[in-house]
Amino acid sequence: MSEQTSASEPTGELAKTFEPAGIEAKWYAHWESNGLFRPERPDAAPFTIVNPPPNVTGSLHIGHALDNTLQDVVIRYERLRGKDALWVVGTDHAGIATQMVVERQMEARQDKRTNYSREAFIDKVWEWKHESGGTITRQLRRLGCSMDWSREQFTMDPHFTRAVVKVFVDLYNKGLIYRDKRLVNWDPKLKTAISDLEVETQEIKGGFWHFKYPLADGVTRDDGLDYIEVATTRPETMLADMAVAVNADDPRYRSVIGKEILQPLTGRRFRIVADEHADPELGSGAVKITPGHDFNDFEVGKRAGIRPSEMLNMFDAEAKVVQTADGLVPEKYLGLDRFVARDAIVADMKAAGFLIPHVVKDKEGNETLLDAEPRTIQTPFGDRGGVVIEPWLTDQWYVDAEKLAVAPLEAVRTGKIEIVPKTWEKTFFNWMENIQPWCVSRQLWWGHRIPAWYAEDGSVYVAETEEEAQALAGNKPLTRDEDVLDTWFSSALWPFATLGWPDEDAPLLKKHYPNDLLVSGFDILFFWDARMAMQGIEFMGEVPWKKLYLHGLVRAADGAKMSKSKGNVVDPLGLIDQYGADALRFFMCAMESQGRDVKMDEKRVEGYRNFATKLWNAARFCMSNGISGSTGRTAPNATQAVHKWIIGEVGETVRALDQAMADLRFDAAAQAIYQFTWNTFCDWYIELIKGSFDDEARAVAGWVLDQILVMLHPFMPFVTEELWHALGERETDLIIAQWPEPSVAVDAAAKREVEWLIALISNLRTAKNELGISPGARLDAYLPEPSAQTRATIAANPAAIERLARLNAIRFEAAPAGAAMQIGAGDANIVVPLEGVIDIAAEKARLEKALAVSQKEAKSLDGRLSNPAFVEKAKPEAIEKARADHAHHTAEAERLAAALTRLG
């Protein structure tokens, strides 16, 4: 829409109390319905961010709140700076998650997916999407995200699907996509391969079984033993063992390398191979090798010359035992679940004398024989299916990630992609330089179906349409691949497929690619960010974004990772309901320090709600004194020092904000506008001009308040838009106003004068507090031989000195004899007599007693914190409390010592 059509009338008198809920609903609807998230700016410089597409099944969690707040701060900032700011929004089709949601709904109705054809089931998923798939997009609106909803994307939309299919076909034709037999993370419940990101490691109580594997053909080791001891946490996999690995430098086994084992249950013969995977220091130093069911064993098997096509598979898709290719699995195990098979195999090995028991002794030395050594095992579970993941050897489609990684590596090295913080570069290089083939096929119905067709002779034909595949095949009968693509494959195209690719003349693509910035959690650096870099450079010839900002996780207050099982998950919508979106957003920015995780602190969220209230009350006070919004972007003319000073402070704050945003220091940006608003404007400027609201004061105060609203808007959009309109009639809404000019000059003389006043008032208030003097007490003050500058400052500000410093006057003469306190301000050392104000002796005694207590506590806590035993063994919360108490008592001791010094 045109920006000129968004003019508005003032909203009228402000309510006494700031209530965010109604304000948020009103302004978001106004912004969206008027197209203000992307106003027409055809000639403006572009600025582009793509939102990491949340799962269509998802709900807003605290990590989303951080990630999207940071993006919205940047996009609102750039919009205010006049850019054609585009924030691409959309959702991911979330193959596994969405299919599970729909299947669960079917189960609740005593129905199931297999009752339907593939096409009929997919229709049902689309029905669910249209009815229930918009939850997270509604929640993003509640957070205040100013996304371009008019072009909301979905990874299964027809235009996006076209892009996905083209990328697959083009990569295949370039030899960068191929079909191969490799191990994958297999979910036996969902019956699909899953990515590493979808695997959760849990600590499970299990066992470590030790077995004798007899040497074949009467061979013995140098020590006379006719077997090798192997240990495993998964005894069931011995049905597919194909080798035993030992270290070439292990003298115990050097003589039997190359000899054969006779596996007791299957009768299979296999070699003893030398491999560095076997560690002589661990267990017996020998490892059974099951290349078809263990990722490490797969690599050992390949090094031993076993081709993946020869590796034995003993499980079906449900992790039930099946016959291996050599037909040596005893029939009694066929069809057993893997864990049932485990018990049966252990029992049979024990009965045959091949189990080596684990010996446990009690305090009296009595021995107990156990089948296995009890251990806590790091066990992989599928985050969706909730069952133990099985490494499974299957035919899958793979991307040659090693070749695609070359260009992104070079882009980061040469600075075409800047990673912020820079410390993540090392991690990026390490992963990309050791990257493995990327498995992109999934055994699901919902998703982008792989565009590959098979002839009866096994020949494969990859094409964008079935007609094209038929043409390639010479019209042979073809059957399409049943699998779909990993959702990370399609989302890797997000920076350019959302802009109209593969239409290379698409206007948005030409203007907004490459994107300017990607904001991402570090946890998806490889799953999403790196893959976008690969696909972007491969298909666009340019990096997908110029800068990659990686933020940390949001953790619980004690630093622990949030999880439902721990009960420490924080609902961002609950925080919005209680404190408002502005408060939560400001908290996220203030706590986002590069390279560090964010610790959740509800008290600080509440504090930023108080910050919004402080601004609200300041605006009400200004309005009640005839102050309204300014009519121009340029600062009004000012003659008085206090107004010249505040105008200069605006300029310094704008420059600080601009620098912080350029550096992506969200914490520094939030701190700059917070300090200026709360301390400089509310606490000092308004206080200094109270009672002096002439035309100049009103003009300057109105202008400064406007600059605050513009500068704060990216962080707190709702309260600032409301106050913007409350202060007067506006030509535009705040969301599309103009960012303040950073070139506002600082008047050095005015700055020196006002800062002298602030120092005097602050130091005097601190001294009164230290000595227990009432804040309202009026005191005398003496300053013999002031400098000309100080004398002029005092002469120019008698009302402020009397009203805020509560001094009767400052006399330019020596103070009378007697107890007094010294107050510093600039080059002045002002003497304030205390005779008759307080009981000096009693006050000294009180301070000395309190000082001794604080010093004793600080020393005790220092000893505790210096004790390694305490730091290593105490609970984290106990250590944190000790540190906080130590800091408190140390500061208190310093304060009390300063107060005693004042008394002389």
Side-chain angles (χ1 to χ4, degrees):
M1 64 163 286
S2 170
E3 296 183 41
Q4 280 68 39
T5 63
S6 57
S8 64
E9 298 292 330
T11 57
E13 185 177 342
L14 282 177
K16 287 186 178 180
T17 307
F18 168 55
E19 297 292 347
I23 292 170
E24 291 169 6
K26 175 180 75 174
W27 285 115
Y28 199 93
H30 173 81
W31 293 327
E32 185 174 359
S33 63
N34 284 280
L36 297 176
F37 295 147
R38 190 158 179 262
E40 291 178 9
R41 292 175 175 173
D43 300 323
F47 187 90
T48 314
I49 295 180
V50 293
N51 180 47
N55 286 351
V56 69
T57 57
S59 294
L60 191 75
H61 57 60
I62 201 71
H64 288 137
L66 171 63
D67 191 73
N68 286 280
T69 292
L70 301 182
Q71 291 175 76
D72 196 43
V73 167
V74 173
I75 211 75
R76 286 179 182 270
Y77 170 72
E78 297 294 350
R79 191 185 294 120
L80 288 167
R81 295 175 74 206
K83 302 279 185 70
D84 178 12
L86 170 63
W87 187 7
V88 175
V89 62
T91 49
D92 189 280
H93 64 277
I96 293 176
T98 305
Q99 184 161 317
M100 281 186 65
V101 166
V102 176
E103 289 199 54
R104 282 190 188 129
Q105 289 185 347
M106 287 181 163
E107 288 173 10
R109 300 191 300 269
Q110 283 74 53
D111 200 357
K112 58 184 178 180
R113 171 173 57 92
T114 51
N115 289 342
Y116 300 85
S117 68
R118 183 180 189 130
E119 291 71 22
F121 176 76
I122 289 172
D123 287 343
K124 288 195 170 292
V125 179
W126 278 108
E127 287 175 17
W128 173 87
K129 195 264 180 185
H130 293 312
E131 292 173 6
S132 308
T135 297
I136 195 159
T137 57
R138 290 191 295 272
Q139 293 169 339
L140 287 169
R141 287 172 166 91
R142 287 205 60 196
L143 188 63
C145 297
S146 57
M147 297 155 159
D148 182 13
W149 296 107
S150 68
R151 294 188 59 263
E152 184 177 348
Q153 305 285 300
F154 183 52
T155 50
M156 287 289 285
D157 283 341
H159 72 278
F160 206 95
T161 298
R162 178 184 164 220
V164 172
V165 170
K166 177 173 173 55
V167 165
F168 186 95
V169 173
D170 286 0
L171 288 176
Y172 177 82
N173 290 333
K174 294 176 183 178
L176 295 172
I177 277 187
Y178 57 92
R179 194 160 169 81
D180 196 10
K181 186 182 287 291
R182 292 178 63 89
L183 279 185
V184 297
N185 296 309
W186 186 263
D187 189 315
K189 181 176 180 181
L190 302 178
K191 294 191 275 295
T192 181
I194 63 174
S195 73
D196 291 343
L197 188 65
E198 294 158 325
V199 176
E200 292 181 344
T201 300
Q202 299 179 22
E203 290 189 346
I204 301 296
K205 292 192 180 302
F208 200 45
W209 287 266
H210 296 251
F211 298 104
K212 297 176 183 178
Y213 266 27
L215 292 158
D217 304 321
V219 171
T220 59
R221 291 163 31 183
D222 288 348
D223 59 8
L225 294 176
D226 60 356
Y227 67 87
I228 287 181
E229 179 183 340
V230 296
T232 179
T233 59
R234 300 165 66 214
E236 64 278 10
T237 62
M238 70 173 61
L239 298 180
D241 280 353
M242 298 186 73
V244 165
V246 298
N247 195 289
D249 296 326
D250 193 332
R252 294 172 293 179
Y253 305 118
R254 197 173 290 142
S255 66
V256 294
I257 292 173
K259 305 300 183 184
E260 291 190 330
I261 292 289
L262 185 65
Q263 211 286 328
L265 297 184
T266 63
R268 184 179 300 119
R269 295 171 70 103
F270 45 77
R271 288 183 306 126
I272 299 167
V273 299
D275 196 280
E276 60 186 13
H277 175 60
D279 185 346
E281 303 298 320
L282 290 179
S284 68
V287 185
K288 62 184 273 309
I289 301 300
T290 319
H293 295 285
D294 182 276
F295 288 101
N296 289 321
D297 292 4
F298 179 80
E299 298 300 328
V300 174
K302 286 199 300 180
R303 290 194 291 270
I306 304 172
R307 293 192 299 271
S309 60
E310 299 171 335
M311 293 177 181
L312 298 176
N313 174 47
M314 57 167 284
F315 289 131
D316 65 10
E318 295 180 332
K320 292 180 179 178
V321 178
V322 296
Q323 188 56 266
T324 52
D326 60 7
L328 293 179
V329 175
E331 188 174 344
K332 63 184 290 188
Y333 302 122
L334 300 180
L336 294 182
D337 174 81
R338 52 185 165 165
F339 299 119
V340 175
R342 174 182 296 179
D343 294 340
I345 286 165
V346 170
D348 290 347
M349 289 289 281
K350 182 177 181 180
F354 293 107
L355 174 71
I356 301 173
H358 177 65
V359 180
V360 178
K361 290 184 179 181
D362 61 19
K363 293 179 180 178
E364 286 73 37
N366 301 313
E367 293 186 349
T368 303
L369 301 184
L370 303 177
D371 286 352
E373 175 188 348
R375 282 200 179 182
T376 298
I377 312 293
Q378 298 289 326
T379 307
F381 280 76
D383 67 346
R384 303 288 182 185
V387 299
V388 176
I389 292 304
E390 192 63 45
W392 202 43
L393 193 65
T394 62
D395 291 307
Q396 303 283 347
W397 287 94
Y398 290 88
V399 170
D400 189 343
E402 184 179 2
K403 289 180 181 174
L404 287 177
V406 173
L409 278 166
E410 183 64 14
V412 174
R413 288 194 181 104
T414 59
K416 288 182 179 178
I417 293 176
E418 179 188 355
I419 297 179
V420 182
K422 193 175 178 63
T423 49
W424 279 106
E425 282 187 4
K426 183 179 179 182
T427 306
F428 177 83
F429 291 143
N430 183 60
W431 189 78
M432 294 287 271
E433 288 165 354
N434 297 281
I435 199 166
Q436 297 297 307
W438 172 17
C439 176
V440 294
S441 45
R442 298 289 181 267
Q443 291 63 52
L444 302 168
W445 281 2
W446 173 244
H448 298 107
R449 194 167 178 181
I450 290 175
W453 286 262
Y454 301 94
E456 291 178 355
D457 63 2
S459 300
V460 60
Y461 301 94
V462 173
E464 292 187 36
T465 65
E466 187 169 2
E467 290 74 22
E468 291 175 15
Q470 286 284 359
L472 291 172
N475 293 316
K476 295 177 187 176
L478 297 178
T479 303
R480 188 168 184 177
D481 197 307
E482 292 288 329
D483 291 352
V484 299
L485 286 163
D486 174 19
T487 55
W488 295 106
F489 184 89
S490 49
S491 62
L493 319 184
W494 199 246
F496 55 95
T498 55
L499 300 176
W501 189 88
D503 178 3
E504 294 181 1
D505 293 324
L508 282 176
L509 187 67
K510 292 173 75 173
K511 186 172 183 180
H512 290 276
Y513 190 94
N515 308 159
D516 291 270
L517 172 68
L518 179 73
V519 175
S520 166
F522 71 82
D523 52 335
I524 56 172
L525 171 60
F526 309 123
F527 296 103
W528 190 47
D529 307 344
R531 289 164 178 173
M532 278 190 288
M534 293 179 196
Q535 302 287 42
I537 297 173
E538 179 68 23
F539 287 92
M540 296 297 297
E542 288 187 86
V543 298
W545 8 258
K546 302 160 193 172
K547 191 174 288 190
L548 168 60
Y549 180 81
L550 296 169
H551 60 74
L553 303 177
V554 183
R555 296 184 175 273
D558 61 359
K561 190 173 182 179
M562 291 188 185
S563 71
K564 291 179 181 178
S565 61
K566 292 180 181 177
N568 62 355
V569 174
V570 174
D571 176 15
L573 296 175
L575 293 172
I576 291 173
D577 288 339
Q578 191 166 1
Y579 304 110
D582 285 334
L584 178 60
R585 289 166 60 102
F586 203 90
F587 167 80
M588 291 299 181
C589 294
M591 298 296 285
E592 173 52 27
S593 180
Q594 287 181 11
R596 299 178 63 183
D597 289 337
V598 172
K599 285 187 180 180
M600 195 62 229
D601 185 345
E602 192 170 332
K603 279 290 180 188
R604 290 197 67 158
V605 180
E606 183 181 9
Y608 295 127
R609 159 67 188 266
N610 296 340
F611 174 50
T613 299
K614 176 103 170 177
L615 177 61
W616 184 272
N617 291 337
R620 288 187 72 243
F621 175 80
C622 288
M623 290 169 68
S624 70
N625 284 279
I627 296 168
S628 60
S630 60
T631 56
R633 193 176 174 210
T634 305
N637 291 325
T639 59
Q640 297 175 45
V642 69
H643 303 312
K644 292 178 180 179
W645 164 74
I646 196 66
I647 290 170
E649 292 296 299
V650 168
E652 291 195 335
T653 304
V654 175
R655 288 187 286 276
L657 274 170
D658 284 341
Q659 187 61 56
M661 294 302 294
D663 296 338
L664 294 176
R665 288 302 306 259
F666 294 94
D667 53 347
Q671 180 71 3
I673 186 58
Y674 180 93
Q675 290 296 335
F676 178 75
T677 303
W678 187 297
N679 296 335
T680 308
F681 181 73
C682 295
D683 283 356
W684 287 113
Y685 179 68
I686 288 180
E687 287 301 312
L688 287 168
I689 65 171
K690 272 184 181 177
S692 304
F693 289 109
D694 54 19
D695 290 344
E696 180 176 319
R698 290 189 178 94
V700 172
W703 178 83
V704 174
L705 189 51
D706 271 5
Q707 308 317 299
I708 287 173
L709 297 179
V710 179
M711 290 187 287
L712 185 57
H713 179 77
F715 307 89
M716 291 183 146
F718 294 111
V719 67
T720 52
E721 188 77 77
E722 178 74 9
L723 294 176
W724 175 262
H725 290 280
L727 283 165
E729 186 175 344
R730 303 292 190 174
E731 292 183 2
T732 67
D733 289 291
L734 177 56
I735 190 174
I736 53 171
Q738 289 183 291
W739 187 251
E741 286 283 1
S743 58
V744 176
V746 173
D747 186 307
K751 183 178 179 68
R752 195 164 46 244
E753 179 176 321
V754 175
E755 288 184 350
W756 188 94
L757 277 174
I758 290 172
L760 170 66
I761 295 162
S762 299
N763 293 340
L764 188 55
R765 287 173 176 175
T766 299
K768 281 183 171 181
N769 180 58
E770 288 172 353
L771 298 176
I773 301 171
S774 169
R778 288 189 173 277
L779 304 176
D780 294 325
Y782 296 85
L783 179 59
E785 302 179 5
S787 67
Q789 186 175 290
T790 299
R791 183 186 289 270
T793 297
I794 294 170
N797 295 279
I801 291 171
E802 181 183 358
R803 181 168 56 86
L804 298 176
R806 310 295 289 173
L807 292 177
N808 292 320
I810 298 178
R811 301 178 188 176
F812 300 134
E813 58 187 70
M821 60 182 178
Q822 312 273 324
I823 306 296
D827 61 359
N829 194 26
I830 298 167
V831 180
V832 178
L834 294 175
E835 291 292 342
V837 177
I838 58 172
D839 184 330
I840 304 296
E843 185 60 20
K844 274 188 175 181
R846 182 188 73 79
L847 291 171
E848 286 168 351
K849 183 178 180 181
L851 176 61
V853 170
S854 284
Q855 288 175 332
K856 182 180 178 182
E857 286 294 328
K859 184 178 180 181
S860 172
L861 288 161
D862 185 58
R864 195 185 309 174
L865 289 167
S866 300
N867 183 353
F870 171 74
V871 176
E872 290 169 11
K873 296 177 182 179
K875 292 181 178 180
E877 54 267 32
I879 297 171
E880 192 66 30
K881 184 178 186 304
R883 286 175 177 155
D885 289 346
H886 179 263
H888 165 74
H889 286 293
T890 301
E892 186 67 2
E894 291 174 357
R895 184 188 70 80
L896 293 164
L900 279 166
T901 301
R902 289 187 193 280
L903 291 177

